[in-house]
Amino acid sequence: MATRRGDTLIFSDPPVIASHAAVGGKKEGEGPLAAGFDELRADNSFGQSGWEAAEAELQLRAARLCLKKAQITEKEVSLVLAGDLQAQCTASNYAMRALGIPYAGLFGACSTMAEALGLGAALCSAGMADGLLAMSSSHFCAAERQFRTPLSYGAVRTPTAQWTATAAGACLLRPTGPGVGIRAVTFGRVQDYQIKDINNMGAAMAPAAAATLLHYLRDTHSEPQDFDAIYTGDLGHVGSQLFRELLAAEGLLLKNHVDCGCILYDAEAQSVKSGGSGAGCCAAVLCAHILPRLERGTQKRLLFLATGALMSQTTFLQKESIPAIAHLVELWAPKKEGTA
Amino acid sequence: MATRRGDTLIFSDPPVIASHAAVGGKKEGEGPLAAGFDELRADNSFGQSGWEAAEAELQLRAARLCLKKAQITEKEVSLVLAGDLQAQCTASNYAMRALGIPYAGLFGACSTMAEALGLGAALCSAGMADGLLAMSSSHFCAAERQFRTPLSYGAVRTPTAQWTATAAGACLLRPTGPGVGIRAVTFGRVQDYQIKDINNMGAAMAPAAAATLLHYLRDTHSEPQDFDAIYTGDLGHVGSQLFRELLAAEGLLLKNHVDCGCILYDAEAQSVKSGGSGAGCCAAVLCAHILPRLERGTQKRLLFLATGALMSQTTFLQKESIPAIAHLVELWAPKKEGTA
């Protein structure tokens, strides 16, 4: 069960992430976190005939690997919460066609993984789901033609632009048992600082990350230094700087902030400009890097704060500003006796 | 709390729909259900400069009317679950920018209203939300250019085509108190019968509606005649026929089936071909017609089974078939002493 304080739900018996898997493409396999991935493919088409179908395959593989690691079958999963960046979330929809499990689709853009973990933890903790899959994906090539221009146009990237990850992450949640605990969740409110540059998502999303973190800290009477790390996903280098400045203006000095978009790639060697992004970026960094650290006990308690930019190509062309949202989950290392 | 049986959650203390509102456009105001709407506008632009923004305004008005009828403010709402048909769900995102309440975005295409009610009921029943808004919208003009062709092309409509409603519905959920009870929810599994005709959504969605209904009936040991009505949304005339045939093949004769898409418009007089559709269609029919009937006691117990087609314009052009999903909620008339 849970206690509500402000915008935050605190679980008295934290549900757990019992298993997780990360799958990535070529560039992810050349990055600093490659060793943590469960599967990496040099061929970004994943054997499919289009980028959209490739992303569905990516998400499906992450889901199946996650279930395999937990040694359970699809039949033992009560519900899947999933979403992605494609119009009408088709990567998730087509992945779910193959999986055949009850499915509630989410849209939170790049915040989807935290949204899925938050809603999933609530349902698990209330005994309303036993095995529950939370997952999200993105694909560089599908996203570029969705939001910017098709790759073959060869458009030049600006220094503030982020690189959409070709990656997926999937987590199996359970009401109890061994695994990383989800201690709390804060669902965000939409923020809009009137950013209109579709090549500067970090600036659009930083205010949402700051707002949700401030809500969480106020609701739980905690301070940034209570955590081994505060992971955002994915503000990139430009957005991370703005995020820390916004918090500094509120009197908070963040010394333990890490952005998933800044660690998935080597920004300089891999020419990703401001860093990684996409609904699959923080989902994969969570599964390939953050959760393993908690499982090893390298970190004990941290925040995972995923941000999403909520515009579309249509609203961008209509000169609308970019609203953004951020959802937060608090994660705890497994108890010693229950460590997987 | 809830008991899980198969794909179905049954709430021992049903959360309630404490308040609801429906807003519609010109054609909805000329249809048979006009009298039940809370607001109807002859101008489908809703004072905005684009159709996408008009839909955001439509959803925002439904939300505000719903809160006004419940005599509460935004501050008293814990969470909003909302979604729509636009790419990246921008109608909901921009409506939520104005509302400023914690928000978890959903994508279930035209099944979104049942998905929101189902997840919302689960959260309310577990004490994790007090006031919770579940809402959805669609706009004819935004949907036509999103999924087919811009209106100004003057494309001819096929007999199987449905008319996307310019409408929104919003429900305020509470854990307890006066209002229509949400007794159970069944989250659907994706079905795909290899339909590829984007002008025949009813055929693509009918199998999903049948599959979810069969799961629900099996999980709860109930029969179709246990209900005053089984409302689907939105199969239209073509899809409804297929839905009843699919069930007949399973030995179920449905005599109490009503499709929201078949009652929102007068198909012949209003030239809507196979009927209404869109995420706002069944949401508005629920709020303008179904819930008032339950509140008056004309109906006591019914099923609301919303269906969604999960393709995009991109997957359609890639010649992918159309996967579909249906989510179901069981609704009960308010107890006599608690009738609003």
Side-chain angles (χ1 to χ4, degrees):
Chain A
M1 292 307 305
T3 314
R4 269 200 314 122
R5 286 197 210 144
D7 293 356
T8 303
L9 288 176
I10 301 161
F11 302 109
S12 45
D13 291 306
V16 297
I17 300 174
S19 161
H20 51 86
V23 178
K26 184 166 184 288
K27 208 177 184 84
E28 294 67 33
E30 295 160 354
L33 302 187
F37 277 79
D38 296 276
E39 185 181 352
L40 287 161
R41 284 280 202 102
D43 169 19
N44 276 359
S45 77
F46 283 78
Q48 306 298 308
S49 58
W51 303 126
E52 289 74 18
E55 187 181 338
E57 178 67 18
L58 190 65
Q59 199 175 117
L60 185 57
R61 297 182 84 88
R64 289 197 166 139
L65 278 169
C66 179
L67 295 184
K68 194 178 166 191
K69 287 169 81 176
Q71 296 181 298
I72 66 167
T73 67
E74 284 88 342
K75 286 199 173 64
E76 294 164 76
V77 179
S78 319
L79 187 67
V80 179
L81 299 171
D84 59 275
L85 288 174
Q86 291 182 20
Q88 286 79 44
C89 301
T90 46
S92 307
N93 298 340
Y94 284 86
M96 288 311 304
R97 179 177 69 177
L99 271 185
I101 306 171
Y103 162 51
L106 305 184
F107 182 77
C110 305
S111 75
T112 301
M113 195 60 188
E115 183 188 342
L117 290 175
L119 288 172
L123 293 173
C124 278
S125 125
M128 293 183 193
D130 190 7
L132 184 148
L133 269 180
M135 60 187 192
S136 187
S137 65
S138 55
H139 194 296
F140 176 73
C141 310
E144 283 299 297
R145 71 173 166 198
Q146 167 97 188
F147 293 104
R148 296 177 190 96
T149 55
L151 294 183
S152 34
Y153 285 23
V156 174
R157 303 169 65 79
T158 69
T160 56
Q162 289 174 251
W163 187 278
T164 305
T166 299
C171 290
L172 178 75
L173 307 191
R174 287 199 174 281
T176 182
V180 168
I182 301 180
R183 180 73 168 87
V185 51
T186 308
F187 292 107
R189 300 163 186 252
V190 177
Q191 308 292 322
D192 191 328
Y193 274 36
Q194 294 296 307
I195 305 291
K196 296 188 176 187
D197 180 359
I198 206 164
N199 290 305
N200 193 354
M201 295 296 185
M205 298 190 295
T212 299
L213 179 59
L214 289 169
H215 270 288
Y216 166 83
L217 295 174
R218 206 175 303 139
D219 293 343
T220 57
H221 307 292
S222 13
E223 297 180 15
Q225 55 268 35
D226 295 344
F227 306 93
D228 292 314
I230 295 173
Y231 287 97
T232 51
D234 306 287
L235 300 171
H237 297 285
V238 176
S240 291
Q241 178 67 25
L242 288 169
F243 170 64
R244 291 190 292 261
E245 284 173 15
L246 284 167
L247 291 171
E250 299 286 332
L252 286 180
L253 197 62
L254 235 57
K255 293 181 178 171
N256 51 356
H257 170 232
V258 182
D259 184 69
C260 297
C262 295
I263 60 172
L264 179 60
Y265 305 111
D266 179 327
E268 222 158 294
Q270 295 189 283
S271 312
V272 295
K273 305 289 181 185
S274 185
S277 71
C281 178
C282 69
V285 172
L286 176 74
C287 297
H289 179 71
I290 301 174
L291 293 173
R293 288 177 73 130
L294 284 163
E295 285 163 349
R296 285 195 299 269
T298 320
Q299 295 185 325
K300 302 283 184 204
R301 187 184 175 199
L302 56 82
L303 300 178
F304 176 68
L305 176 51
T307 57
L310 302 177
M311 84 299 160
S312 70
Q313 177 71 350
T314 305
T315 63
F316 164 69
L317 291 170
Q318 289 171 345
K319 304 200 194 310
E320 262 285 6
S321 57
I322 302 172
I325 200 161
H327 303 295
L328 175 152
V329 288
E330 180 189 332
L331 301 175
W332 280 19
K335 285 182 206 133
K336 279 236 170 108
E337 66 277 16
T339 305
Chain B
M1 292 308 304
T3 313
R4 268 198 315 123
R5 285 197 210 143
D7 293 357
T8 303
L9 288 176
I10 300 161
F11 302 108
S12 44
D13 291 306
V16 297
I17 300 174
S19 161
H20 51 87
V23 178
K26 183 165 185 286
K27 205 175 187 85
E28 293 66 34
E30 294 161 354
L33 303 186
F37 276 79
D38 295 276
E39 185 181 352
L40 288 161
R41 284 281 201 101
D43 169 17
N44 276 0
S45 78
F46 283 78
Q48 306 299 308
S49 57
W51 302 127
E52 288 74 17
E55 187 182 336
E57 177 67 18
L58 189 66
Q59 198 174 120
L60 185 58
R61 298 182 84 90
R64 289 196 165 138
L65 278 168
C66 179
L67 296 184
K68 193 177 166 192
K69 286 168 81 177
Q71 296 182 297
I72 67 167
T73 66
E74 284 87 343
K75 285 198 175 63
E76 293 164 78
V77 179
S78 320
L79 187 67
V80 180
L81 298 172
D84 59 273
L85 289 175
Q86 290 181 21
Q88 287 78 43
C89 302
T90 47
S92 306
N93 298 341
Y94 284 85
M96 288 311 305
R97 180 176 68 178
L99 271 184
I101 305 170
Y103 161 50
L106 305 184
F107 181 78
C110 305
S111 74
T112 302
M113 195 62 186
E115 183 188 343
L117 289 174
L119 288 172
L123 293 173
C124 278
S125 124
M128 295 185 192
D130 190 7
L132 182 148
L133 268 179
M135 61 188 192
S136 186
S137 66
S138 55
H139 194 296
F140 176 73
C141 310
E144 283 299 300
R145 70 174 165 198
Q146 167 97 188
F147 293 104
R148 294 176 191 96
T149 54
L151 293 183
S152 34
Y153 285 22
V156 174
R157 302 168 66 76
T158 69
T160 55
Q162 290 174 249
W163 187 278
T164 305
T166 299
C171 290
L172 178 75
L173 272 52
R174 286 198 176 284
T176 182
V180 168
I182 301 180
R183 180 71 167 88
V185 51
T186 308
F187 292 108
R189 298 163 188 253
V190 177
Q191 307 293 320
D192 191 328
Y193 273 38
Q194 294 296 309
I195 305 291
K196 296 188 175 188
D197 180 358
I198 207 164
N199 291 304
N200 193 356
M201 296 295 185
M205 298 190 295
T212 300
L213 179 60
L214 288 170
H215 269 289
Y216 166 84
L217 294 175
R218 207 174 303 142
D219 293 343
T220 58
H221 307 292
S222 14
E223 298 180 14
Q225 54 269 31
D226 295 343
F227 306 93
D228 292 316
I230 295 172
Y231 287 97
T232 51
D234 305 285
L235 300 173
H237 295 285
V238 175
S240 291
Q241 179 66 29
L242 289 169
F243 170 64
R244 291 189 293 262
E245 284 172 16
L246 285 167
L247 291 171
E250 299 284 332
L252 285 180
L253 196 64
L254 235 58
K255 292 181 177 170
N256 51 355
H257 170 232
V258 182
D259 185 70
C260 296
C262 295
I263 60 172
L264 179 60
Y265 305 112
D266 179 326
E268 220 159 297
Q270 294 189 282
S271 312
V272 293
K273 306 290 182 183
S274 185
S277 72
C281 179
C282 68
V285 171
L286 175 76
C287 296
H289 179 70
I290 301 173
L291 293 173
R293 288 178 74 133
L294 284 164
E295 285 164 349
R296 284 195 301 268
T298 320
Q299 294 184 325
K300 302 286 184 203
R301 186 185 176 197
L302 57 82
L303 300 178
F304 176 68
L305 177 51
T307 57
L310 301 178
M311 84 297 160
S312 71
Q313 177 69 355
T314 304
T315 63
F316 164 69
L317 291 170
Q318 289 170 344
K319 306 202 192 310
E320 261 286 7
S321 57
I322 303 173
I325 201 162
H327 303 296
L328 175 153
V329 288
E330 181 189 333
L331 301 175
W332 281 18
K335 285 181 206 133
K336 277 237 168 104
E337 66 278 16
T339 305

